[in-house]
Amino acid sequence: MKIPTNSVSPSDFIRDIIGEDIKTNKYDGRVHTRFPPEPNGYLHIGHAKSICLNFGIAKEFGGLCNLRFDDTNPTKEQAEFVESIIGDIRWLGFDWEDRLFYASDYFDKLYEFAVQLIKKGKAYVDSLTPDEIREHRGTLTEPGRESPCRNRSVEENLDLFERMRAGEFEDGAYVLRAKIDMSSANLNMRDPVMYRILHATHHRTGDKWCIYPTYDFAHGQSDSIEGITHSICTLEFEDHRPLYDWFLDQLDIHHPRQIEFARLNLSRTILSKRKLRQLVEEGYVNGWDDPRMPTISGFRRRGYTPEAIRDFCERIGVAKNESTIDIALLEHYIRQDLNKRATRVMAVLRPLRLVIDNYPEDSVEELVAINNPEDAGMGTRKVPFSRVLYIERDDFREPPPKKWFRLAPGREARLKHAYIIKCERVVRDEKTGEVIELHCSYDPETKSGEAKAGRKVKGTLHWVSAAHAIDAEVRLYDHLFLKENPDDVGEGSDFRANLNLHSLETLTACKVESSLAGAKPGSRYQFFRLGYFCVDPDSSDGKLVFNRTVSLRDTWAKIEEALRNG
RNA sequence: UGGGGAGUCGUCCAACGGGCAGGACACAGGACUCUGGAUCCUGGUAUUGGGGUUCGAAUCCCUGCUCCCCAGCCA
């Protein structure tokens, strides 16, 4: 059976531009993109959008896509993040072959570029302090003032820059600046910093350097060096484009075309590395791969598939319009994918003991269960049935509400793959009144699959045989934030005020069918009538732990809510 | 009040040089169902305001309004 992918014909303004460039033979008809993460955190679903875009476009147009780490700031970057990013992109299903690069690969070249600009009189070493530089920059409405160092001689600049590199100065003592225009309306053109002194160990170059290029001085040239044709980035870099153009023009080197698009925003989700890091560091979640995190590794652990994430990224489109996607759309795609491929099993999350009084005491039947009604090729399995079972507490109500199809005193329901039963008697705890056991009768004529199983009942319940079931822990997840927009907070407060304190519910007394014994971490199932679940790596030989990836759509919950609201 | 961007159903995205505003999700109703799942029908709501040009404007012109980004030696 074919796994459906969403083949929306991918067309958007970026692909249109590239198609046009191919038609006019710009860049000799080549298409070469890149995904340029900074290794200062884990990748999230917003990065997935960019990854799918860059790798997707390259593939569609018969081009290439590089992976390049923009590692120009050793104080924030770590090898750990490089590893996780590489793993995440692979998991998403993309391949950069031998084209794994680092901006730090180009540090020598970038240094030469800087020297070139100094020699051209287009860059100078400034001894102003950070505060002074800020003051000289002017404001949004007022022009800046030129630094007194702006007219140093080329020789002096060369000497100072060399000594910066040699480690003669403290952090912050000097910077190298481009000499452009202090009165430009675009603040990025007001003599931006190209190099700063940072006595820090770099995750790749170690202590070779104590000066590092800024992103602005490294990014465009890195793209140029790699022969990138289309540099796709997010909207906030629109203002930087004239600066990148200026560097490329002054250096007279290959000139990629930069195209900006709107980054992804998701409702009830935060997609800012800084804030995600805060959630991790302040212990609101259990690490970057906590299944509640919108990181790729979080989604992976939660049970999402790469296919679902790719379909989602394709469907949301690409535009320059800032927008927020409804998280329900992402959930739709994981349900769609898992519906087609997940094995159905029975698991009872909140067990209620049920005794079938007229069923033979020591008898055990092996009933045939279909693994996936969406895919006959997935076959069948046997599930044991016996006199004492567990069903979901939620499947019994007394008194039954309107439109209730499940069990209630005197009511009938079908046990999936088994028999129709009738609720005859309810046992309650004398003190609390809590229902602790149900006594039922079964109709032997109604066995599933038998020719005369004929009779219809509205409700079908899942169950496990008490004697055969295995214990499991199940972790239920809800959105991390209560508000659609987590940043919607009052003065003096921040996104943490909108955190959902009940985003994780751990159930430790769950009972799952015996076929799940030995299930491997990462395996995905549909727990019948409940949702999609995935075995968590926390599982051990004797203890299964499941994460709920996403619940099934719950029509009854809607009906009940409608009833409540009259 | 400088510069750069953006405004189409509830939410996203379409409508390629003016020609019936379409799809997905969400929502509502129904059919079907041994998952209140899936599937299948059906339905509603949108062009930022105001002026023009035109037989005809989301699209062209003028003029407002709203929102986002920029004053890191972050990316």
Side-chain angles (χ1 to χ4, degrees):
Chain A
M1 171 173 244
K2 180 174 112 199
I3 291 168
T5 44
N6 245 326
S7 23
V8 282
S9 60
S11 178
D12 51 67
F13 80 101
I14 296 180
R15 281 176 243 248
D16 288 349
I17 289 171
I18 293 176
E20 203 55 39
D21 286 347
I22 289 175
K23 208 177 292 173
T24 60
N25 216 37
K26 197 174 172 181
Y27 308 116
D28 303 320
R30 268 187 328 117
V31 174
H32 203 331
T33 57
R34 100 269 95 125
F35 174 64
E38 184 193 12
N40 69 340
Y42 280 61
L43 256 27
H44 56 62
I45 184 85
H47 295 110
K49 175 180 179 181
S50 175
I51 291 166
C52 291
L53 227 204
N54 279 295
F55 281 94
I57 281 175
K59 190 171 184 185
E60 285 160 43
F61 290 95
L64 300 169
C65 180
N66 297 356
L67 171 58
R68 183 184 70 243
F69 287 95
D70 271 340
D71 53 353
T72 55
N73 186 347
T75 66
K76 296 192 172 172
E77 295 147 8
Q78 297 171 28
E80 175 204 349
F81 296 131
V82 170
E83 294 313 309
S84 76
I85 289 168
I86 285 176
D88 287 348
I89 304 173
R90 284 232 174 87
W91 178 77
L92 274 176
F94 298 102
D95 183 15
W96 49 91
E97 298 171 306
D98 58 348
R99 297 179 313 282
L100 167 61
F101 302 120
Y102 297 80
S104 54
D105 293 340
Y106 313 134
F107 280 174
D108 285 300
K109 188 76 190 163
L110 259 6
Y111 183 84
E112 279 175 40
F113 283 151
V115 169
Q116 270 182 53
L117 290 184
I118 293 172
K119 287 181 177 164
K120 273 185 81 171
K122 297 293 184 181
Y124 62 97
V125 173
D126 200 347
S127 26
L128 254 29
T129 66
D131 278 349
E132 288 168 334
I133 287 181
R134 191 181 323 118
E135 284 163 29
H136 280 72
R137 187 152 31 226
T139 67
L140 293 179
T141 50
E142 297 158 18
R145 285 152 33 227
E146 297 187 349
S147 163
C149 308
R150 201 173 198 259
N151 293 314
R152 273 197 230 269
S153 68
V154 168
E155 293 67 32
E156 194 182 353
N157 281 325
L158 250 17
D159 174 61
L160 248 16
F161 188 48
E162 173 52 38
R163 289 163 64 197
M164 280 168 65
R165 175 193 197 174
E168 288 188 29
F169 312 118
E170 305 267 286
D171 285 9
Y174 292 96
V175 288
L176 182 71
R177 293 229 255 168
K179 193 191 282 190
I180 310 181
D181 178 6
M182 288 307 292
S183 62
S184 172
N186 181 347
L187 297 261
N188 295 122
M189 302 300 269
R190 320 243 264 227
D191 290 10
V193 171
M194 296 161 56
Y195 265 92
R196 66 298 210 193
I197 301 172
L198 246 30
H199 290 271
T201 302
H202 187 277
H203 72 106
R204 298 200 82 231
T205 60
D207 293 320
K208 178 178 175 190
W209 298 88
C210 65
I211 58 171
Y212 292 92
T214 57
Y215 174 85
D216 277 344
F217 188 64
H219 189 79
Q221 288 89 288
S222 299
D223 281 348
S224 177
I225 290 167
E226 293 178 17
I228 299 304
T229 58
H230 301 270
S231 303
I232 300 168
C233 64
T234 42
L235 253 26
E236 68 270 28
F237 293 106
E238 226 155 2
D239 284 347
H240 296 240
R241 185 166 12 106
L243 173 59
Y244 302 158
D245 287 344
W246 187 89
F247 282 133
L248 266 15
D249 287 345
Q250 293 299 327
L251 263 8
D252 195 25
I253 55 178
H254 166 70
H255 206 133
R257 179 178 343 193
Q258 175 169 308
I259 308 170
E260 307 86 4
F261 71 97
R263 58 158 18 108
L264 171 69
N265 295 297
L266 254 194
S267 63
R268 292 176 191 277
T269 308
I270 228 143
L271 293 180
S272 137
K273 270 196 209 169
R274 201 203 95 231
K275 289 173 187 164
L276 291 175
R277 176 196 310 279
Q278 215 175 333
L279 293 180
V280 172
E281 287 175 355
E282 294 174 12
Y284 292 105
V285 295
N286 304 312
W288 286 97
D289 70 340
D290 185 300
R292 292 166 292 177
M293 290 283 274
T295 51
I296 305 295
S297 49
F299 281 120
R300 177 168 58 227
R301 185 165 178 184
R302 174 110 169 216
Y304 271 71
T305 61
E307 290 83 353
I309 293 177
R310 280 191 254 124
D311 282 351
F312 170 76
C313 289
E314 203 170 279
R315 172 46 85 178
I316 56 178
V318 186
K320 296 193 74 155
N321 197 11
E322 298 219 44
S323 56
T324 302
I325 309 284
D326 190 339
I327 185 88
L329 187 62
L330 215 209
E331 293 169 349
H332 162 76
Y333 280 110
I334 187 59
R335 285 192 186 106
Q336 177 180 274
D337 190 21
L338 260 19
N339 175 51
K340 293 288 188 289
R341 55 206 273 186
T343 297
R344 271 62 168 170
V345 295
M346 295 197 285
V348 175
L349 267 31
R350 298 175 179 86
L352 172 60
R353 201 175 137 92
L354 182 151
V355 181
I356 303 173
D357 293 321
N358 60 338
Y359 192 84
E361 199 82 42
D362 295 317
S363 174
V364 175
E365 282 183 87
E366 294 285 324
L367 303 176
V368 179
I370 293 168
N371 285 330
N372 185 349
E374 300 290 325
D375 182 358
M378 287 174 69
T380 61
R381 68 183 186 290
K382 296 278 180 56
V383 288
F385 181 85
S386 63
R387 186 169 185 267
V388 182
L389 312 171
Y390 290 114
I391 64 161
E392 208 68 60
R393 295 199 87 88
D394 280 356
D395 286 337
F396 173 81
R397 286 285 182 87
E398 181 184 21
K402 274 185 214 166
K403 300 187 181 175
W404 180 256
F405 298 161
R406 284 117 93 154
L407 237 35
R411 292 279 186 98
E412 283 189 323
R414 171 172 290 283
L415 294 176
K416 181 69 184 178
H417 309 307
Y419 302 92
I420 292 175
I421 55 167
K422 182 176 185 182
C423 179
E424 308 284 359
R425 187 161 62 87
V426 180
V427 181
R428 292 174 176 280
D429 182 289
E430 283 176 16
K431 293 199 179 80
T432 65
E434 185 198 6
V435 176
I436 51 177
E437 189 174 272
L438 259 27
H439 283 262
C440 298
S441 59
Y442 86 115
D443 179 351
E445 303 287 296
T446 58
K447 184 172 178 177
S448 293
E450 306 273 286
K452 40 189 204 306
R455 238 165 88 226
K456 303 264 184 200
V457 285
K458 276 280 197 178
T460 301
L461 312 183
H462 60 277
W463 51 272
V464 292
S465 167
H468 304 86
I470 49 185
D471 296 325
E473 173 178 322
V474 174
R475 298 171 184 171
L476 304 180
Y477 301 103
D478 194 0
H479 303 299
L480 249 185
F481 293 93
L482 296 166
K483 287 198 178 173
E484 294 257 315
N485 174 10
D487 286 317
D488 178 12
V489 287
E491 197 71 35
S493 186
D494 68 23
F495 70 102
R496 283 114 104 213
N498 286 328
L499 240 12
N500 176 6
L501 279 344
H502 307 290
S503 57
L504 167 62
E505 184 179 4
T506 303
L507 303 175
T508 54
C510 310
K511 299 284 185 182
V512 304
E513 68 169 68
S514 48
S515 71
L516 255 14
K520 295 282 171 289
S523 349
R524 305 181 185 93
Y525 301 90
Q526 185 197 94
F527 284 2
F528 210 76
R529 299 207 303 139
L530 296 174
Y532 297 98
F533 294 77
C534 170
V535 181
D536 190 85
D538 281 350
S539 300
S540 55
D541 282 348
K543 180 193 168 201
L544 279 172
V545 178
F546 291 91
N547 295 315
R548 184 173 67 192
T549 307
V550 67
S551 66
L552 251 28
R553 290 189 63 211
D554 190 349
T555 304
W556 165 247
K558 282 178 192 165
I559 293 170
E560 198 171 31
E561 201 190 333
L563 289 173
R564 237 199 321 272
N565 299 332

